[in-house]
């Protein structure tokens, strides 16, 4: 749970990598206060390493984050932002294609109805021609006899 809070408050969402504003670069603690970049001053394996922390660290707010971790989080947040944008674009494209398919199905349905109507007219015309041919054959037989 603490990790998700740290991730959420470590930085703002990014625009393009090189044009992020100062506000987007600020690191916020768990209380949405700006955490300042500090440097480890005591001797040891982390001497000189940069970290983010509050002025009253351990007294009022125990927020702590190594600077290199914040940069990794920012990079991941930016990648997530890019993927969210891609997903949004793909969803919009998918919706447009679904609408196009729907319109095409409506056109096909209308064309199928027209084909059925033409088939009925064709059948009626054939029956009419057959009847006329029978009448002509009968008339010709009467004339010849």
């Amino acid at each position: 749970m603490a990790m998700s809070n740290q991730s959420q408050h470590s930085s703002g969402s990014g625009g393009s990598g090189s044009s992020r504003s100062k506000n987007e670069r600020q690191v916020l603690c768990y209380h949405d206060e700006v955490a300042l970049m500090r440097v480890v001053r005591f001797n040891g394996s982390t001497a000189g390493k940069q970290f983010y922390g509050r002025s009253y660290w351990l007294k009022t707010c125990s927020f702590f984050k190594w600077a290199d971790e914040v940069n990794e989080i920012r990079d991941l947040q930016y990648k997530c932002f890019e993927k969210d944008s891609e997903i949004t674009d793909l969803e919009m494209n998918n919706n447009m294609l679904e609408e196009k398919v729907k319109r095409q199905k409506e056109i096909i349905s209308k064309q199928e109805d027209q084909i059925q109507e033409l088939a009925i007219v064709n059948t009626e015309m054939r029956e009419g021609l057959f009847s006329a041919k029978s009448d002509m054959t009968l008339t010709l037989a009467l004339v010849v006899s």
Side-chain angles (χ1 to χ4, degrees), residues 107-119:
I107 290 170
I108 289 171
S109 177
K110 288 177 184 176
Q111 289 175 339
E112 287 172 344
D113 291 344
Q114 289 174 343
I115 289 170
Q116 287 178 350
E117 289 174 11
L118 289 173

Side-chain angles (χ1 to χ4, degrees), residues 75-104:
D75 290 343
L76 290 173
Q77 286 173 331
Y78 182 71
K79 287 178 183 177
C80 287
F81 174 77
E82 286 180 326
K83 293 299 179 186
D84 286 344
S85 295
E86 276 183 53
I87 289 169
T88 300
D89 291 344
L90 290 171
E91 286 173 342
M92 287 175 51
N93 190 34
N94 187 44
N95 289 340
M96 289 188 317
L97 291 172
E98 286 176 349
E99 284 297 316
K100 188 173 182 178
V101 166
K102 183 179 174 182
R103 288 192 305 270
Q104 293 296 325

Side-chain angles (χ1 to χ4, degrees), residues 10 28 37 44 126 141:
S10 293
L28 303 179
M37 182 180 286
R126 285 178 175 244

Side-chain angles (χ1 to χ4, degrees), residues 7-19:
S7 298
Q8 290 174 350
H9 293 295
S10 293
S11 69
S13 61
S16 66
S18 61
S19 65

Side-chain angles (χ1 to χ4, degrees), residues 2-60:
M3 185 62 181
S4 65
N5 283 344
Q6 289 176 354
S7 298
Q8 290 174 350
H9 293 295
S10 293
S11 69
S13 61
S16 66
S18 61
S19 65
R20 292 180 184 156
S21 71
K22 185 176 180 180
N23 289 341
E24 290 174 323
R25 293 190 174 275
Q26 290 181 338
V27 176
L28 303 179
C29 74
Y30 307 125
H31 304 99
D32 288 330
E33 298 289 331
V34 175
L36 300 176
M37 182 180 286
R38 302 177 178 285
V39 177
V40 176
R41 296 187 192 265
F42 63 89
N43 290 335
S45 62
T46 58
K49 191 169 180 179
Q50 295 177 328
F51 68 95
Y52 288 93
R54 292 284 308 280
S55 300
Y56 302 106
W57 187 61
L58 291 179
K59 292 180 184 174
T60 59

